[in-house]
Every structure is written in C-alpha cells, then in structure tokens.
C-alpha cells in the first residue's frame, strides 16, 4: 500500500485572500476596542475636567469674597485715618491755644513768686533788724 500525498486544491490567491479577510476582521475588532477605550478615557477626562473647573470656580468665589472683605476693611481704615487726621489737626490747634495761655500763666506765676520772695526777704530783714527803723 502506497499512500498518496494529499493534494492541495487552493490557489495562492485564495490563501492570501483568506489571510487578508482574517487580518481585516482582527483589525476591525482592535479598532472597535480602541474606540471604546478611547471613549471611556475621554468620558473620565471630561468628568475630571468638570470637577477641576467646579473646584476652581468655588475657590475663585472664595477669593473674591475675601478680597471684597479686605477692600471693605481697607475703605473703613482709610475713612478712620481721614477722621483721625482731622482730629489731630483740631488737637494741634487746641494745644497751640493752650500753649499761649500757659505762657501767660507762667509769666504771672513767676511775677507772683518773685513778689512773695521779696516780701519774705523784707519781712526777715525787718524782723531781725538789719535796717535801722525810724523812731518817732
């Protein structure tokens, strides 16, 4: 018994055509998987960007509120400073008026003090008899 080798009934074109079809089918499946994965990644990124934008908006709102508060305080400080400046000028005018009065008062006090000292000295002199007294 002799065995005959199997005969091939396919042509090279048919084999290449089948290989081409299999490659196309696998390529299509890979593309579909990649498209699905890309869509999932894209959705995740969109959600994350949305969350980041919301957080940034909240932080900007907080910063704006704090800046408004600081601006309000600064305005109050400037108003208080202007009022304080006006009060200081008024006090300076009052002090200059008081200085003039004190100068006059000091002059009078010195004069009275000198008169009292002279009176005391003359009383001591008269008491101890340094000067001759007139006898009548």
């Amino acid at each position: 018994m002799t065995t005959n080798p199997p005969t091939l009934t396919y042509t090279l074109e048919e084999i290449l055509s089948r290989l081409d079809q299999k490659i196309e089918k696998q390529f299509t499946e890979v593309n579909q998987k990649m498209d699905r994965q890309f869509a999932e990644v894209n959705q995740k990124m969109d959600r994350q960007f949305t969350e980041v934008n919301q957080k940034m908006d909240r932080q900007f709102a907080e910063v704006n509120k704090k800046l408004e508060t600081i601006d309000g305080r600064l305005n109050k400080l400037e108003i208080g400073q202007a009022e304080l400046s006006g009060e200081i000028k008024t006090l300076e005018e009052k002090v200059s008026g008081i200085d003039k009065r004190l100068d006059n008062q000091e002059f009078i006090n010195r004069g009275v003090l000198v008169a009292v000292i002279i009176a005391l000295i003359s009383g001591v002199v008269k008491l101890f008899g340094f000067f001759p007294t007139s006898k009548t």
Side-chain angles (χ1 to χ4, degrees):
M1 296 206 225
T2 60
T3 56
N4 292 331
T7 59
L8 292 175
T9 59
Y10 299 109
T11 64
L12 185 58
E13 278 183 29
E14 290 175 346
I15 293 174
L16 289 177
S17 171
R18 286 184 183 175
L19 282 175
D20 189 40
Q21 288 174 354
K22 285 183 180 180
I23 290 174
E24 284 292 324
K25 183 179 176 183
Q26 289 178 350
F27 184 72
T28 304
E29 290 175 1
V30 167
N31 274 342
Q32 289 173 351
K33 285 182 183 178
M34 287 180 61
D35 287 343
R36 274 187 258 127
Q37 289 177 349
F38 180 74
E40 290 174 6
V41 168
N42 216 6
Q43 288 174 350
K44 287 180 183 178
M45 287 179 58
D46 284 343
R47 274 187 256 126
Q48 289 177 348
F49 279 130
T50 302
E51 291 174 7
V52 167
N53 282 338
Q54 289 172 349
K55 286 180 183 178
M56 286 178 60
D57 288 342
R58 279 183 293 207
Q59 289 177 348
F60 282 139
E62 290 176 16
V63 167
N64 282 337
K65 285 180 185 177
K66 289 179 181 179
L67 284 176
E68 288 174 4
T69 304
I70 290 171
D71 189 40
R73 289 180 180 173
L74 185 60
N75 286 339
K76 288 179 183 177
L77 182 63
E78 288 173 350
I79 291 170
Q81 184 179 4
E83 291 174 358
L84 185 61
S85 176
E87 289 178 12
I88 288 173
K89 288 180 183 177
T90 303
L91 289 175
E92 286 176 0
E93 291 172 4
K94 288 181 180 179
V95 168
S96 67
I98 290 173
D99 282 345
K100 290 178 185 176
R101 291 181 197 153
L102 287 177
D103 288 341
N104 290 336
Q105 189 68 34
E106 287 175 7
F107 179 73
I108 292 170
N109 288 345
R110 276 190 230 129
V112 169
L113 183 64
V114 169
V116 168
I117 292 173
I118 291 175
L120 284 174
I121 292 174
S122 64
V124 169
V125 168
K126 188 173 185 182
L127 182 65
F128 292 110
F130 291 122
F131 294 114
T133 56
S134 60
K135 294 182 183 181
T136 42

